[in-house]
Amino acid sequence: MYNLWNRIKSGISDIVKSRTFIAIIMFCVLSAVLLQRVFYLQIVKGQNYTDKYELQIQKTKEVEGTRGNIYDRNGVLLAYNELAYSVTIQDNGDYDKKSEKNKALNQIVTKVINIVESNGDSVINDFGIILDANSEYSFVAESDTQRLRFIADVYGKKTIDELSDKQKSQSAADIMHYLCTDKTYGYGINEKKLDKTMILKLVNVRYAMSLNSYQKYISTTIASDVSDQTVADIMENSDSLQGVNIEEESLRRYTDSKCFANLIGYTGQISTDEYDALSKENQEIYSKTDTVGKSGLEKVLDSTLRGKKGEVKLYVNNVGKVLDTVQSTEPKAGNDVYLSLDANLQKAAYNILEQELAGILLSKIQNTLDFDRNSVSDGSDVMIPIGDVYNALIANDVVNMTHFSENDAKSTEQEVYNTFSGYKEQVLASLSSTLADPNAAAYKDDSKEMQAYLSYIVTDILTNNTGILNSSVIDKNDETYKAWKTDETINVYTFLNYAVSQNWIDTSKLQNYTSNGGKYSDSSETFQAIISYLNEHLKSDNSFDKLIYKYMIKAGSITGRELCMILYEQNILNYDESQYNALASGATTAYDFMRGKIQTLEITPGQLGLEPCTGSFVMTDTSTGQVLACVSYPGYDNNRLANNMDSTYYNQLVTASSRPFYNNATQEKTAPGSTYKPLSAIAGLTEGVISTDSRLPCHGIYEKIEPNPKCWIYPNAHGSLDVSGAIENSCNSFFYEVGYRLSLKDNGINSISQDNNQGDATNAYYSSELGLQKLSKYAQMFGLGTTSGMEIPEANPQISDDSSVPSAIGQGTNNYTTSQLARYVTTIANKGTLFDLTLLNKTTDVKGNVIEESQPKIDNTLSDISASTWDAVHEGMRNVVLVSHSSTFSDINRSGFQLSGKTGTAQQSKTHPDHALFIGFAPSDSPEVAFATRIANGYSSTYAAEVARDVMKYYYQLTPENELITGTASSIGSNASNEG
């Protein structure tokens, strides 16, 4: 027993002394402490810590520097930044389920939308889908590539190639349905409960929020530049608006936007394509949420204007809510840019152009509903029927035809819609019968109205818009195809059935109209699917409706009186009760009413989109090449595209027939017409084929080449002229002869003295290619082989490569922009210094210190041209103003101010008015400025000359401004010339 007890004591002693015992004791103590602490935290203080738990995470947010301002040469502000309030939202709620999150966010966003709109403000509208005139979802994208890029962004794909065929073929409605309902990525929007307008607004906001889904601490803007009342209402309801805040933001603003938009452009958030196109170095500078220049000088000078980013450190909780903000690096403002432009000159030239265009329209409008352009043999005889003016109100979306059927439509709108609806039913029934009738009349035997509908169906709907009729696989030499396209000897039934039999139809586009989704369909089923598609599509096709309206207006079924009254009913014109009642009673005719509104520019040429409706004017400093004015008419409001783009407005600009986005000064090319003759004169004199003493005959018709071209004065003739007289009188025959002589090879020039009127003695020496080479040489010398040097995008010039004789009078295939002609005439004015034109004056930092000053860039000096040649050309151009067009320039000539110029008329076709051009410089004896102006389809060069005349009167203060810029249509000259 004793031994046992000793052994126990000994064992216990060994255990106590061992390391294991110490470890066990330590483990027990620590476990007790841990259990006590866990008990304290979870039981005693559990609820308290749960309520206060915040997982703080540090994030870094980039802050863009303030964008630099843009000024004109005199310091007039053109683009600047303005602090404003915006309504923003952060996705910082804590939700258990996706459905719970969608429901909560949709409720919050809907409430915010209602608050914003109740105060007259607007929510963001820069999504890639809009509602078209038929209240159908439509892509904003202009091209197929842009559409696919947008779809790729929606589906989270890096490139278009990653999209499946099904995704690529998604319609705008399909994309909206996906975003509203997809279980994983959808926004839980009830498409049946809400109307499309509200659905689109919700998707606009939710999609913008989704772009920040991995950076929830970055706010998403719901509405910009909101009123004080909106701010107050949001703050008042802040307790029920999770994540919604009022923030200050810097908005880009533009002054006199319509006059400068095509030059300055606008800003917006960088697109995926724009970001991907950046170099790796620049991708480190830019981020995918940056604001960048999207077009014009804003884009070209983005790196100069944008400044440097700063950084802010944020502390956010586990759901992304910002808990604290610490400024770490201040952003730096961008540099300011001073342009070479004179802002007041730019605005004056824009307004003078608009007034002249309105004057031309008024001179050509006739009180008839229709006019057959094919009845005239010359474009100058084309008239504008008042029916085209009425139709332009609908065709160019001056009035909103879709509002005619709305509940709040006014009485005249309702009358028009009722008339239209009945007529459209008849048209659809007639088309349905024609499409299904194998014995229908051949296309050429249909009425013009039916031909228009059928052509629209086959060309626009089936081919261009949908690709159901796949033009890429059509055999253009096929006899049946030519019978439809060229000979017009078969009907549409025959053509479409033949197209089906030749597999020209893409059946995948008809899968909703066939029993097996477009696969393995026989010919009759495919044809029937086309008919079914058309019957459904035409019911809601906005462009088709416009076509119907066109023919109803021509027929007088819808009257000008009704459309003019609708201008008041839709508030397009400020309501005038007396005028409205006068229209209603017939006391004022619609014809007189429309002429009056065009006269006062309440309805502008740009709105109507008729011919003419566009123009351009470029003026330069002859000693530096700086551009003083670069006008493109019509302009647009770039304030509505900057910051958060108004997609609906953008789409209106894209589809407008007057092409407001198109810079007519730098992108529109036409033949230069007779403005090219000074260059031909210089080429002829310098090459020695004529001299300043040479006198060449004009017989009215030129017989040395076939077919015989005519002088513009034919059947009269100019007689014998020297080079200055030929420029003064713009004699075609003189310059035909110069072009001919430049084309003589070997010793052909020595046979000229023996030449007769038909050129029998020199025909063997004639080489058009040689003449074209020489003319091209001089065109290159005067800068017509390259773009002008201006910093904004410009169309490439085209030097003629077809027939030297007509090319010498500015025809052939010569095609140049107004900016390129301005550079050319600048070189004539300063006698041989070819500048690269520039829009820039200087760049300064935010404190006004000059960083860079624009210096003249000389591209070429034409030292081989003699002084006598320059004098002869200058004399001829001076006499254009002083003698041959003295009636147009009578006021300037009486003032003693010396102006030189050259008219030009470029033919487009016999059914369209000619393009009108005028180039010049002033003062004649010591040129300071040079200019070029063009009115596309402007009928006569006299009208372009009148624009240049009035701009010179303004610039040199020869006439008071209020007499030049009246806000009414110009009284255009009655002695319009048809010079070449």
Side-chain angles (χ1 to χ4, degrees), residues 98-108 187-188 206:
K98 173 79 172 179
S99 59
E100 181 186 343
K101 173 183 176 179
N102 280 333
K103 183 179 179 180
L105 286 178
N106 290 340
Q107 287 177 344
I108 292 169
Y187 306 142
R206 292 296 308 277

Side-chain angles (χ1 to χ4, degrees), residues 123-131 137-141 150-151 153-154 172-173 175-180 187 199-211 644-648 650-651:
V123 296
I124 60 171
N125 183 25
D126 58 357
F127 188 50
I129 293 174
I130 60 170
L131 282 174
Y137 295 122
S138 175
F139 289 112
V140 174
F150 169 70
I151 293 175
D153 289 341
V154 168
I175 295 295
M176 290 295 294
H177 181 69
Y178 166 79
L179 289 173
C180 287
Y187 306 142
I199 291 171
L200 187 58
K201 291 173 185 175
L202 279 170
V203 170
N204 257 285
V205 176
R206 292 296 308 277
Y207 182 75
M209 292 177 68
S210 72
L211 299 178
N644 292 306
M645 177 182 284
D646 183 338
S647 296
T648 303
Y650 177 86
N651 192 58

Side-chain angles (χ1 to χ4, degrees), residues 741-814:
R741 292 186 178 192
L742 288 170
S743 304
L744 295 178
K745 58 187 178 181
D746 302 329
N747 293 317
I749 193 68
N750 296 324
S751 301
I752 290 292
S753 60
Q754 307 163 24
D755 194 16
N756 57 27
N757 201 34
Q758 288 74 37
D760 294 340
T762 54
N763 279 342
Y765 302 98
Y766 175 73
S767 168
S768 178
E769 288 300 317
L770 177 62
L772 287 170
Q773 289 173 15
K774 290 182 179 178
L775 286 170
S776 176
K777 168 187 170 184
Y778 285 86
Q780 297 277 0
M781 287 167 57
F782 280 88
L784 293 176
T786 60
T787 53
S788 70
M790 276 202 266
E791 289 77 9
I792 58 176
E794 186 176 333
N796 290 318
Q798 182 178 347
I799 296 175
S800 181
D801 58 0
D802 181 30
S803 191
S804 59
V805 170
S807 295
I809 69 161
Q811 299 294 336
T813 56
N814 281 308

Side-chain angles (χ1 to χ4, degrees), residues 276-323:
D276 291 343
L278 295 172
S279 64
K280 290 184 178 180
E281 180 181 343
N282 282 333
Q283 284 184 351
E284 294 179 1
I285 299 173
Y286 289 83
S287 66
K288 293 185 177 181
T289 58
D290 280 357
T291 297
V292 297
K294 304 290 283 188
S295 70
L297 290 170
E298 288 277 31
K299 181 176 182 178
V300 173
L301 303 175
D302 189 71
S303 59
T304 301
L305 293 165
R306 70 189 312 267
K308 294 184 178 180
K309 296 179 183 178
E311 287 186 349
V312 173
K313 288 185 178 180
L314 306 173
Y315 293 92
V316 301
N317 66 9
N318 61 318
V319 292
K321 184 175 182 179
V322 177
L323 304 175

Side-chain angles (χ1 to χ4, degrees), residues 886-920:
S886 58
S887 59
T888 299
F889 295 96
S890 57
D891 290 347
I892 285 183
N893 291 334
R894 279 197 300 269
S895 74
F897 182 77
Q898 295 186 352
L899 174 67
S900 299
K902 182 70 195 80
T903 55
T905 305
Q907 188 181 66
Q908 177 177 332
S909 73
K910 291 182 179 180
T911 58
H912 292 274
D914 297 337
H915 303 303
L917 301 100
F918 191 80
I919 62 173

Side-chain angles (χ1 to χ4, degrees), residues 9-30:
K9 286 199 301 181
S10 176
I12 292 172
S13 177
D14 291 340
I15 290 172
V16 170
K17 294 177 180 178
S18 70
R19 294 180 179 179
T20 302
F21 179 77
I22 296 172
I24 291 170
I25 294 301
M26 291 296 294
F27 177 79
C28 291
V29 171
L30 291 174

Side-chain angles (χ1 to χ4, degrees), residues 393-394 397-406 408-414 416-417 549 562-575 580:
L393 298 177
I394 287 180
D397 295 316
V398 179
V399 299
N400 180 5
M401 70 177 186
T402 61
H403 190 264
F404 298 172
S405 60
E406 297 294 329
D408 60 343
K410 303 296 190 300
S411 59
T412 312
E413 292 179 280
Q414 294 174 13
V416 168
Y417 182 71
Y549 273 113
E562 291 171 318
L563 293 170
C564 291
M565 291 172 68
I566 288 172
L567 289 170
Y568 285 122
E569 292 184 353
Q570 292 192 353
N571 297 316
I572 293 148
L573 298 176
N574 293 327
Y575 186 71
Y580 182 84

